[in-house]
Amino acid sequence: MTDDETAPAADTQPISLDLLVILRHPPHGSSWLREGVDVALVAAAFGQAVGLLFQGDGVFALVEGQGAGPLGQKGTHAQLAMLEMYDIERLWVSASALRARGLTLADLALPALALEADEIDHLVHAQPRTLLF
Amino acid sequence: MTDDETAPAADTQPISLDLLVILRHPPHGSSWLREGVDVALVAAAFGQAVGLLFQGDGVFALVEGQGAGPLGQKGTHAQLAMLEMYDIERLWVSASALRARGLTLADLALPALALEADEIDHLVHAQPRTLLF
Amino acid sequence: MMLHLLNRSPQFDGIYWDLSEAFGAEDHLLLIEDACYAALPAAAASLAAFGGRVSVLSEDAASRGLLDRLSDGVTVVDMAGFVALTATFPRSLSWF
Amino acid sequence: MMLHLLNRSPQFDGIYWDLSEAFGAEDHLLLIEDACYAALPAAAASLAAFGGRVSVLSEDAASRGLLDRLSDGVTVVDMAGFVALTATFPRSLSWF
Amino acid sequence: MIDRPYDVLSYALLVHAAPYSEQGALSALRFAQAAVAQGHRVSSVFFYRDGVHNASMLMAPPQDEVHLAEGWRSLAQEHGTELLVCVAAGLRRGLMSAEESARHGREAHNVEPPFVLTGLGQLVDAMLGNDRVITFAP
Amino acid sequence: MIDRPYDVLSYALLVHAAPYSEQGALSALRFAQAAVAQGHRVSSVFFYRDGVHNASMLMAPPQDEVHLAEGWRSLAQEHGTELLVCVAAGLRRGLMSAEESARHGREAHNVEPPFVLTGLGQLVDAMLGNDRVITFAP
């Protein structure tokens, strides 16, 4: 079912963070993604261990080559570049969401791990707190 | 393709109104439907000939037996009762939207005509002005 | 053990899919607002992934005229029952 | 002859279906905002009903990083071209 | 585009999209700017549903972001575009002119000219009185 | 429900839904009322995204409709619930306290206690400091 680029990561099952933020909305068309990442950044700044799971159209947030909008409105690409600075290094993406959109991990601007459905189930249930945007 | 209850109406092809309002949103969960019908009512009050086309979840607006919300918020059922008073008597519904939701014209609180896709195409293109809510 | 809250109609099937990826064997799904329409028999496919562990909020189903039309497999809970579900399940996750 | 404007991603396939019911033989579809994602080859099925009479707004595709990834059958227009389309087609209808 | 192989047209825009939450309000402003740049007239913009929030004079986006209310005001000042805000949609959602504020016994208001609170009848007029009506939604 | 076969819990609600446009804000208020009726504590409601408009004191819905801001105020007064409005989301969208209004050189404001403009850190605190966090969205 999985090829090289969407191989499940062996180390994802037991990880428990303080907060998992699930991002389901695409960038640009609304501010869901941006305001969701804001919560992740602030939680990290408050010393919480935070991870991000991209599902559905949320995987488009990671597509390489994005820019600002035509009226200079910021996309999420600049914001995502701040993740590492805030020690948010756990990025997961839904493997099925990638497949449905014709994307592979090679299309993404940041390193992420692709998870199949059962792994997403395990990941979500290992977290004490989860917010969805 | 059509049974008795979703039979296309022979008189729908050439009708041209001043305004067709397409309603795609279900009642209660948002105010799209209510504020869309408001536009139809005001246009009718200004002497325009107005018709309504219900597509997608919009067909739920016509389901019989609706009520007010738990905090007393008005649904659309009261508003729909005003349609006749404003001479808005042309109500069309997407036959495919009904079928997909397990509904027939008998489930609806108001008399409406069910249209197949090609009839919707003709209806929409016969109108000088169309708004969607 | 997790309570999932869902407020969108089955027309938004992408949400139902994403939810199904996160839905665990001991989880429960509560349909509120426009998600009540998923409790109609014609929408049974949209709930197939949730193994009968599905409730619908009575007042939202009632305002939509759905109380007499619900699928057999879906439990009806009132607002007090909604609160009780959030108390019983240690965590909840809202899908929209 | 009608110009249809669409701003939602193919995940909202109910909208694409409703639009297809209203789409006429001489109509045109312009993809703006998140509908740009429908111009990806993987989403070709979502545009099948529109017979190749589809354009995408360049600045919205560009900000999303999609300009090099678009399906061959989709024309790219800039904002001036968007205005020109609304001038050419006597009526427009926005889907969302 | 420069030769304009078509007539100069009058446009009305209908904006349902809330500022900063959805792209629709930005798209509408971009479209309006492009239309007038091509010599068309954008005679009115009607703000409905959450689009009414575009009219708030209390909007204070960060300096490096587009100021939508300013953008609309410039359009009105430079091109005579009417900025019409549905009064019923606005009052529910917290948009008030000085006049409405006085009528409702409030001490503040957040809508000032060129934004004008008005009824849905104006939307009907805009539909009847312009060559094109373009809707921008969330 | 009356015997409460479970502990009394503390809740935080996160409200993204705009008043009058989506049911989410009404659902959140209903839920809060039902939770306190069962003896639970709703210690805070955090308004984010278009949910910030719930805090507008200029909201003027028709008499026969629910007044959401009043509903939230009653909850705060009767049950001590904190009403927290994200300041970054609010300022973009036109929500200002007297203090923010002065800081931005405006002549009006539309947020007053018990609604308080505050940072996202308060949302993090609310998540950490309560037994349950329930999100209500559009």
Side-chain angles (χ1 to χ4, degrees):
Chain A
M1 292 300 285
T2 59
D3 60 21
D4 266 354
E5 298 186 302
T6 57
D11 63 341
T12 53
Q13 309 317 337
I15 286 178
S16 177
L17 305 155
D18 298 312
L19 173 66
L20 177 70
V21 177
I22 302 180
L23 299 162
R24 286 192 65 259
H25 287 81
H28 298 283
S30 73
S31 60
W32 278 107
L33 188 78
R34 218 149 79 85
E35 294 186 271
V37 174
D38 275 345
V39 172
L41 293 173
V42 168
F46 275 60
Q48 304 294 302
V50 181
L52 304 181
L53 167 64
F54 297 83
Q55 275 190 301
D57 286 341
V59 301
F60 287 131
L62 295 170
V63 166
E64 200 154 28
Q66 295 178 65
L71 283 169
Q73 69 268 33
K74 295 180 248 181
T76 34
H77 58 298
Q79 208 188 15
L80 291 175
M82 295 168 64
L83 292 176
E84 200 184 345
M85 211 189 314
Y86 283 75
D87 290 325
I88 300 178
E89 288 165 351
R90 297 276 174 190
L91 305 186
W92 293 282
V93 297
S94 160
S96 74
L98 283 181
R99 281 193 296 266
R101 288 159 184 79
L103 299 172
T104 69
L105 291 176
D107 294 302
L108 307 186
L110 290 176
L113 294 173
L115 303 183
E116 298 296 335
D118 58 332
E119 298 170 298
I120 289 175
D121 169 358
H122 290 143
L123 175 70
V124 169
H125 285 80
Q127 312 309 321
R129 277 171 289 277
T130 307
L131 285 181
L132 187 143
F133 284 91
Chain B
M1 292 299 285
T2 59
D3 59 21
D4 266 355
E5 298 186 302
T6 59
D11 64 341
T12 53
Q13 309 317 337
I15 287 178
S16 178
L17 304 156
D18 297 313
L19 172 66
L20 176 71
V21 176
I22 302 180
L23 299 162
R24 287 192 65 260
H25 288 81
H28 298 283
S30 74
S31 61
W32 278 106
L33 189 77
R34 219 149 78 86
E35 294 185 270
V37 174
D38 275 345
V39 172
L41 292 173
V42 168
F46 274 59
Q48 304 294 301
V50 181
L52 305 181
L53 167 64
F54 297 83
Q55 273 190 301
D57 285 342
V59 300
F60 286 132
L62 295 171
V63 166
E64 200 155 27
Q66 297 179 63
L71 283 169
Q73 68 267 33
K74 295 181 248 181
T76 33
H77 58 300
Q79 210 188 13
L80 291 175
M82 296 168 64
L83 291 176
E84 202 184 346
M85 209 189 315
Y86 282 76
D87 290 324
I88 300 178
E89 288 165 351
R90 298 275 174 189
L91 305 186
W92 294 281
V93 297
S94 161
S96 74
L98 284 181
R99 282 194 295 267
R101 289 159 184 78
L103 300 173
T104 69
L105 291 176
D107 294 302
L108 307 185
L110 290 177
L113 294 172
L115 302 183
E116 299 297 334
D118 59 332
E119 297 169 300
I120 289 175
D121 170 356
H122 290 144
L123 175 70
V124 169
H125 286 79
Q127 312 310 320
R129 278 172 288 276
T130 306
L131 285 181
L132 187 145
F133 284 92
Chain C
M1 251 181 67
M2 205 158 181
L3 175 67
H4 298 265
L5 305 176
L6 175 59
N7 74 348
R8 295 293 179 102
S9 92
Q11 177 164 49
F12 297 84
D13 51 2
I15 300 178
Y16 286 69
W17 170 259
D18 293 350
L19 199 170
S20 76
E21 288 193 326
F23 197 77
E26 298 182 346
D27 290 2
H28 196 84
L29 171 60
L30 176 62
L31 307 170
I32 66 171
E33 304 173 5
D34 287 341
C36 292
Y37 293 114
L40 290 175
S46 65
L47 298 183
F50 309 111
R53 302 191 300 286
V54 181
S55 300
V56 63
L57 186 61
S58 55
E59 60 189 39
D60 284 349
S63 62
R64 287 165 180 78
L66 306 181
L67 275 187
D68 295 336
R69 304 167 185 268
L70 301 175
S71 294
D72 286 342
V74 177
T75 320
V76 179
V77 302
D78 61 9
M79 186 51 86
F82 179 1
V83 174
L85 279 171
T86 65
T88 303
F89 287 83
R91 283 166 296 153
S92 81
L93 183 50
S94 296
W95 299 80
F96 51 87
Chain D
M1 253 182 65
M2 205 158 181
L3 176 67
H4 298 267
L5 305 175
L6 174 60
N7 74 348
R8 295 292 179 102
S9 91
Q11 178 162 48
F12 297 84
D13 50 3
I15 300 179
Y16 286 68
W17 170 260
D18 292 351
L19 199 169
S20 77
E21 288 193 326
F23 198 77
E26 298 183 344
D27 289 1
H28 196 84
L29 170 60
L30 176 63
L31 307 170
I32 65 170
E33 304 173 5
D34 287 341
C36 292
Y37 294 114
L40 289 175
S46 65
L47 299 183
F50 308 110
R53 300 191 302 284
V54 182
S55 300
V56 62
L57 186 61
S58 55
E59 59 190 39
D60 284 348
S63 62
R64 289 165 179 78
L66 306 180
L67 275 187
D68 296 336
R69 303 167 186 268
L70 300 176
S71 294
D72 286 342
V74 177
T75 319
V76 179
V77 301
D78 62 8
M79 185 52 84
F82 179 179
V83 174
L85 280 170
T86 65
T88 303
F89 287 83
R91 283 167 295 153
S92 81
L93 183 50
S94 295
W95 300 79
F96 50 86
Chain E
M1 297 303 134
I2 294 177
D3 296 298
R4 288 211 303 275
Y6 42 79
D7 294 335
V8 170
L9 299 171
S10 68
Y11 282 80
L13 307 187
L14 173 55
V15 177
H16 299 309
Y20 304 104
S21 297
E22 321 282 346
Q23 196 187 342
L26 289 159
S27 297
L29 182 58
R30 275 286 287 165
F31 181 90
Q33 292 168 341
V36 297
Q38 286 186 43
H40 296 302
R41 205 161 75 85
V42 179
S43 35
S44 64
V45 181
F46 192 92
F47 298 95
Y48 196 38
R49 287 188 46 85
D50 285 339
V52 297
H53 294 296
N54 281 274
S56 175
M57 68 185 209
L58 295 182
M59 183 189 289
Q63 300 283 352
D64 59 347
E65 290 185 30
V66 190
H67 193 303
L68 273 162
E70 284 299 338
W72 293 118
R73 262 192 289 272
S74 298
L75 189 75
Q77 282 155 10
E78 292 163 24
H79 304 283
T81 304
E82 287 186 312
L83 304 178
L84 308 172
V85 182
C86 176
V87 62
L91 286 176
R92 275 189 180 82
R93 292 169 173 89
L95 276 287
M96 276 192 182
S97 61
E99 191 186 338
E100 289 293 340
S101 180
R103 189 196 320 263
H104 286 83
R106 310 296 170 99
E107 287 165 19
H109 66 278
N110 56 357
V111 177
E112 287 190 351
F115 290 98
V116 180
L117 291 176
T118 186
L120 278 176
Q122 289 273 70
L123 171 60
V124 176
D125 281 348
M127 281 192 292
L128 297 173
N130 286 283
D131 299 311
R132 298 289 186 274
V133 179
I134 315 286
T135 299
F136 291 89
Chain F
M1 294 302 134
I2 294 177
D3 297 298
R4 288 211 303 274
Y6 42 78
D7 295 335
V8 169
L9 298 171
S10 68
Y11 283 80
L13 307 188
L14 174 55
V15 177
H16 298 309
Y20 305 103
S21 298
E22 320 282 347
Q23 196 186 342
L26 289 159
S27 298
L29 182 59
R30 276 285 289 162
F31 181 90
Q33 292 167 342
V36 297
Q38 286 187 43
H40 295 303
R41 204 161 75 85
V42 178
S43 34
S44 62
V45 181
F46 193 92
F47 298 95
Y48 195 40
R49 285 188 47 86
D50 284 339
V52 297
H53 294 297
N54 281 274
S56 175
M57 67 184 210
L58 294 183
M59 183 188 291
Q63 301 283 353
D64 59 347
E65 291 186 30
V66 191
H67 194 303
L68 274 162
E70 285 298 339
W72 292 119
R73 263 192 289 271
S74 299
L75 188 76
Q77 281 155 11
E78 292 163 25
H79 303 285
T81 304
E82 287 185 313
L83 303 178
L84 309 171
V85 181
C86 176
V87 62
L91 286 176
R92 273 188 181 83
R93 292 169 172 90
L95 276 288
M96 275 191 184
S97 61
E99 191 185 340
E100 289 292 340
S101 179
R103 191 195 318 264
H104 286 81
R106 310 297 171 98
E107 287 165 20
H109 66 278
N110 56 355
V111 177
E112 287 190 349
F115 291 98
V116 180
L117 291 177
T118 185
L120 278 177
Q122 288 274 71
L123 171 60
V124 176
D125 281 348
M127 281 193 292
L128 296 173
N130 286 283
D131 299 311
R132 299 288 186 274
V133 179
I134 316 286
T135 300
F136 292 89

